[in-house]
Amino acid sequence: MRRQTALIGWWLLALAAPAAAADLETQIRAVLNKPAIEGTRWGLRVEDKEGHVIASIAPDERFQPASNTKVFVTTAVFDAMARGPFPNMGNGVRIESDHGRQNIALIGRGDAMMKDTPDCEKDCLAALADAVAASGVKRVGDVIGDDSFMPFERWIISDRIRPGTRTQISALTINDNELTVLANPGDAVGAPGRAALEIAAPEMEIVNQITTGAPDSRAEVMVEMIPGTRQIRLFGSLPLGGREQRLDFDIDDPADYAAIRLAQLLRERGVKVTGHPRARHAPMGPVDMIPAPVAPAIQAKDLSTLTPPDLIDDLTITSKVSQNLHAHLFLKKLALTQGFSPTTPAGRIVLNQTIARAGLPASAHDFYDGSGLSPDNRITPRAMVQYLHWVETQPWAADWRKTLPIGGVDGTLGRRMKNPVLQGKVFAKTGTLLAANALAGYLVAASGRELTFAIYANDRPSGAPSVLPTMDEALALIAAAN
């Protein structure tokens, strides 16, 4: 009789589970289908650790993952590190003879974290300038920013190239390849404004077209760097007596700018620069577009070499703040683990090999860059959750999870999920493009059990409000119900 009662109980649970899941899914759809965000295309997949489906909406439709792409790139790096040495070389400086004069070459090797700021304490460009001065060199010709370690790809490769925030890619990276201009109003209404680079770079030309408006006018200033030049143009208006504006923007040619800054640092140390700062690139060639193993070139000895950052530290920055430049450089360095030239096409080959080992069908994903900025990237919710399950079986899974933003605590989730249901209980990677938002990772539900999830909002109408509160509301509903 007891066995019969147990069997009846099992059947009741089996019948109730789909009904409960269906009820939850109905509630989730009601949350997602708000009139204010009508037209947004939603995808969702939630499973427990055993793979039982908790909720599923359009699980096999393909969505723009935005920075969810970094999940695949960073895990591929962890996987590569578990299989063998991962390239992590510091930038260096060397002296090159040139028709009787000595040039200084600053050699970039893909280190994304070299800094050139007054408060820099490690991995500093100033340390290389110090080394040149300490060597006894008093006079140099040209100062060369050499990023030929990686074939030159100025922007991400996509079927539709779209430069965006921190997309200028170079093996010689400096200050995350960003510049800051300080802009101030003039002394009278109608007078020209004032503008200067925060860090001196004499060869950079500032075209200042800022005007001074009335004291109660709005501050509206734009900045652009003319591609292929060293010219920075500022235009717009600042109110009389208004506060200083900090304007950040992408460096057009990071190797060229790094050479400019090194030349300035050398002058400040008493080294005379008789030539000019300039960049040295390695153009893309057939072997770079059609990846094949290449023999390493014989390199001259550095006068001084910087100690590169710890890989885990860089991977943590990449995931926590969603650093686009770092992520794409990691994709290119993945190619080196198999002897390929460090290019985007070669990096994608290695990335796709990792994804294939996780068992994802090729039709479920497409990736064109490492950051997620490419508008051509695609993933299905089912495939993302499948991949996250696979990650959990890997020996490096715990270390990788530490790099993820935590809901209501840090990174790109630090200002979200402050409610008790989600705060400190979501470990996930965000994603944001103009009309796309994404979130994928792990969620500790109210019962204490862990769920694996992926949620995507694509095609949000331009006039609609942010979908992030709606996304978080749906996750809170799922957490409370489980």
Side-chain angles (χ1 to χ4, degrees):
M1 184 67 179
R2 184 178 297 170
R3 176 178 172 81
Q4 185 179 8
T5 303
L7 287 171
I8 292 172
W10 183 86
W11 277 107
L12 288 173
L13 287 172
L15 290 170
D23 183 57
L24 175 60
E25 196 169 295
T26 299
Q27 296 176 52
I28 295 169
R29 288 181 183 273
V31 169
L32 300 181
N33 294 331
K34 294 179 178 178
I37 54 175
E38 184 180 1
T40 302
R41 186 167 63 93
W42 289 94
L44 172 71
R45 184 76 170 184
V46 186
E47 299 179 5
D48 65 16
K49 295 193 77 170
E50 289 70 41
H52 301 131
V53 179
I54 306 299
S56 190
I57 297 173
D60 297 311
E61 289 188 22
R62 289 159 56 91
F63 291 83
Q64 283 188 1
S67 283
N68 263 193
T69 301
K70 296 182 179 74
V71 167
F72 295 92
V73 172
T74 57
T75 52
V77 173
F78 270 95
D79 192 54
M81 289 193 298
R83 294 170 177 273
F86 192 87
N88 190 34
M89 294 164 281
N91 299 334
V93 67
R94 67 177 60 137
I95 299 173
E96 297 181 348
S97 297
D98 179 21
H99 298 91
R101 68 175 182 174
Q102 292 180 317
N103 292 337
I104 295 295
L106 173 61
I107 311 298
R109 299 188 176 98
D111 173 7
M113 296 178 70
M114 186 177 73
K115 298 297 181 186
D116 173 36
T117 58
D119 60 349
C120 183
E121 295 181 353
K122 60 180 180 179
D123 206 7
C124 307
L125 180 63
L128 296 179
D130 290 339
V132 174
S135 72
V137 172
K138 299 297 183 184
R139 182 187 183 94
V140 300
D142 291 346
V143 178
I144 304 164
D146 186 330
D147 66 0
S148 59
F149 178 79
M150 293 179 175
F152 192 52
E153 300 171 272
R154 176 161 285 171
W155 295 305
I156 58 173
I157 287 183
S158 164
D159 285 352
R160 291 172 286 162
I161 294 177
R162 181 187 295 174
T165 303
R166 289 190 285 276
T167 56
Q168 275 74 351
I169 308 300
S170 171
L172 182 50
T173 289
I174 179 170
N175 296 339
D176 290 335
N177 293 347
E178 287 188 321
L179 273 174
T180 299
V181 172
L182 305 178
N184 288 277
D187 298 326
V189 174
R194 298 187 297 273
L197 285 169
E198 183 178 45
I199 299 175
E203 287 81 3
M204 306 295 290
E205 179 189 2
I206 293 180
V207 179
N208 179 14
Q209 297 175 344
I210 301 172
T211 60
T212 304
D216 58 350
S217 63
R218 293 180 58 187
E220 294 181 313
V221 178
M222 300 293 291
V223 61
E224 66 176 356
M225 190 166 187
I226 311 301
T229 74
R230 294 172 173 172
Q231 189 177 96
I232 303 162
R233 186 171 78 95
L234 295 98
F235 55 97
S237 176
L238 290 173
L240 181 66
R243 63 183 179 84
E244 183 175 75
Q245 302 289 310
R246 292 177 56 88
L247 305 167
D248 299 324
F249 61 100
D250 293 349
I251 297 170
D252 178 62
D253 187 338
D256 183 63
Y257 176 73
I260 289 171
R261 278 299 301 153
L262 180 58
Q264 177 66 14
L265 292 172
L266 291 175
R267 295 185 195 107
E268 292 171 2
R269 285 155 177 76
V271 178
K272 186 172 183 178
V273 179
T274 62
H276 304 281
R278 58 184 172 89
R280 182 163 64 201
H281 304 303
M284 290 277 284
V287 71
D288 303 313
M289 297 303 296
I290 305 174
V294 294
I298 298 175
Q299 299 290 333
K301 186 177 179 180
D302 286 352
L303 175 67
S304 180
T305 307
L306 295 174
T307 300
D310 180 80
L311 283 169
I312 301 297
D313 290 344
D314 196 358
L315 287 162
T316 301
I317 291 171
T318 301
S319 290
K320 289 283 189 184
V321 305
S322 205
Q323 224 295 346
N324 296 322
L325 167 65
H326 294 213
H328 197 77
L329 285 172
F330 271 124
L331 176 69
K332 296 180 77 169
K333 287 190 280 190
L334 275 172
L336 292 168
T337 65
Q338 295 193 18
F340 296 147
S341 177
T343 65
T344 302
R348 287 204 306 260
I349 287 177
V350 181
L351 176 65
N352 285 326
Q353 289 172 351
T354 305
I355 296 172
R357 284 199 299 275
L360 271 63
S363 61
H365 64 89
D366 277 302
F367 295 109
Y368 289 84
D369 73 339
S371 66
L373 285 168
S374 172
D376 305 307
N377 294 338
R378 292 293 184 276
I379 189 68
T380 69
R382 187 195 303 270
M384 174 56 89
V385 169
Q386 179 184 342
Y387 188 78
L388 290 170
H389 281 316
W390 174 80
V391 167
E392 284 294 284
T393 67
Q394 303 306 303
W396 40 263
D399 290 332
W400 175 75
R401 282 186 60 156
K402 292 176 185 176
T403 70
L404 292 174
I406 303 172
V409 176
D410 66 12
T412 51
L413 288 178
R415 296 184 180 181
R416 293 169 60 180
M417 304 180 178
K418 294 295 186 179
N419 57 312
V421 180
L422 298 179
Q423 188 169 19
K425 298 174 183 177
V426 176
F427 308 85
K429 184 70 200 74
T430 53
T432 304
L433 285 175
L434 287 176
N437 290 99
L439 190 66
Y442 308 97
L443 163 65
V444 179
S447 66
R449 69 168 173 162
E450 185 175 89
L451 307 178
T452 304
F453 73 91
I455 183 169
Y456 298 101
N458 276 195
D459 305 325
R460 176 175 57 85
S462 60
S466 170
V467 300
L468 296 184
T470 301
M471 187 177 284
D472 294 353
E473 184 181 348
L475 288 177
L477 178 63
I478 293 165
N482 287 276

